[in-house]
Amino acid sequence: MREHTVDTDGRHLRVVEDGDPAGRAVLVQHGTPGAPLLWPAWVADARSRGIRLVGFARPGYAGSTRQPGRSVVDTVGDCTAVADALGIDRFATWGVSGGGPHALACAAGLGDRVTAVAVLGGLGPVDAPDLVATDGMREDNVAELTAAGQGEQVLRPMLEPTATAMATVDRAELIAGLDDFLDPSDAQVARAGFGGALVDGIRDGLRSGVDGWVDDDLALARPWGFALSTVGQPVGVWHGLRDAMVPVEHGRWLADTVKADHVALSASDGHLAVLAHRVPDVHAWLLASF
């Protein structure tokens, strides 16, 4: 893995890349909370397909400078800065969970520079009149989304204990405790090795505190700052029918709203299982857009 620091608007962005350095570029937008850790299975798949896999920590996470008050659309400037700094002319992008809206914003804002966009377990806009964002959602996720709608003064105290636990509790204990929060398909994936990657990503993302998580939640809980109708590239949507973190109705709503070119709703997958099982399909689909 290669790491970079990219400067933009007086801020620093932590950037990582792996895969084929001479390959087609694919920009990954990490989840909420999270960090740009590229899971080894993704990297191996990227190398086998000739993909240059790139990720960056959104502001406030994992060494990237905080940008208070940011909106989802503000990621366009950061995506531009990263691509420019790495000499990337055109690229595809995919985002998972809270990264899904950011991937869509990147595509909407950069036009022909982005060849296609994929959303995995992505969140829909909470202000959409025809989407009840919390239907079928885990109780703790509902509480977090509700707190985000009430503002930072309510949200931050809710998130800080989790950040403290991630920093202080033994890694093995954190991984073992994932079963309490996951559906059976996700728990199986976690035990097979993805749990370690998940814990490491969250720990890395929160090593400087909860600023990135707070700002992500606030941005996702208000208007995103762009119209989905401005996404002109091919859009692919992957979602697990067993997803209780971001229920599948979000995926269905996104697919219908953007008139997605590819929709894959998997009966056997939850939220994490989509990441563990479907990224090779995502990479293959994105490559066809170049």
Side-chain angles (χ1 to χ4, degrees):
M1 186 177 69
R2 300 169 293 281
E3 294 203 30
H4 315 275
T5 299
V6 170
D7 295 329
T8 178
D9 297 330
R11 295 180 290 110
H12 307 296
L13 295 172
R14 179 183 169 217
V15 181
V16 303
E17 62 170 310
D18 213 323
D20 181 352
R24 302 285 194 181
V26 173
L27 181 64
V28 179
Q29 294 269 8
H30 65 76
T32 303
L37 287 185
L38 304 176
W39 197 35
W42 305 346
V43 171
D45 183 75
R47 287 176 182 158
S48 73
R49 298 179 190 274
I51 290 175
R52 181 184 183 185
L53 204 59
V54 178
F56 71 94
R58 285 193 293 278
Y61 285 116
S64 289
T65 310
R66 189 185 186 192
Q67 186 183 17
R70 61 179 165 91
S71 297
V72 170
V73 74
D74 289 328
T75 198
V76 174
D78 289 347
C79 293
T80 302
V82 169
D84 287 350
L86 271 58
I88 297 170
D89 181 25
R90 299 177 75 234
F91 60 94
T93 185
W94 63 265
V96 55
S97 193
H102 292 84
L104 290 165
C106 178
L110 293 184
D112 291 343
R113 192 168 186 182
V114 175
T115 63
V117 55
V119 179
L120 290 75
L123 190 74
V126 300
D127 61 336
D130 51 346
L131 172 67
V132 181
T134 56
D135 273 4
M137 184 178 285
R138 283 181 52 89
E139 187 175 319
D140 49 347
N141 292 73
V142 172
E144 183 178 333
L145 196 58
T146 301
Q150 295 171 329
E152 181 172 351
Q153 72 281 3
V154 176
L155 178 64
R156 182 176 288 273
M158 172 182 289
L159 302 184
E160 283 178 337
T162 299
T164 299
M166 295 303 294
T168 58
V169 176
D170 179 74
R171 179 179 181 272
E173 185 177 343
L174 288 171
I175 295 170
L178 289 174
D179 280 6
D180 295 336
F181 302 94
L182 302 176
D183 101 333
S185 69
D186 285 341
Q188 183 177 2
V189 165
R191 287 192 293 269
F194 193 78
L198 175 67
V199 166
D200 290 345
I202 295 175
R203 289 181 81 151
D204 187 30
L206 300 180
R207 58 187 164 92
S208 299
V210 297
D211 286 345
W213 192 2
V214 166
D215 294 338
D216 253 9
D217 278 358
L218 294 175
L220 293 167
R222 57 180 176 244
W224 292 351
F226 70 100
L228 284 168
S229 60
T230 61
V231 180
Q233 301 88 337
V235 178
V237 174
W238 278 259
H239 216 112
L241 293 177
R242 299 171 67 174
D243 193 334
M245 296 184 185
V246 180
V248 70
E249 287 308 315
H250 288 252
R252 290 193 174 108
W253 186 94
L254 285 170
D256 290 345
T257 301
V258 301
K259 298 178 174 57
D261 299 82
H262 182 90
V263 182
L265 306 180
S266 172
S268 61
D269 289 341
H271 196 65
L272 300 184
V274 166
L275 289 179
H277 299 152
R278 310 304 166 191
V279 168
D281 296 338
V282 172
H283 284 167
W285 183 80
L286 289 173
L287 279 178
S289 68
F290 284 92

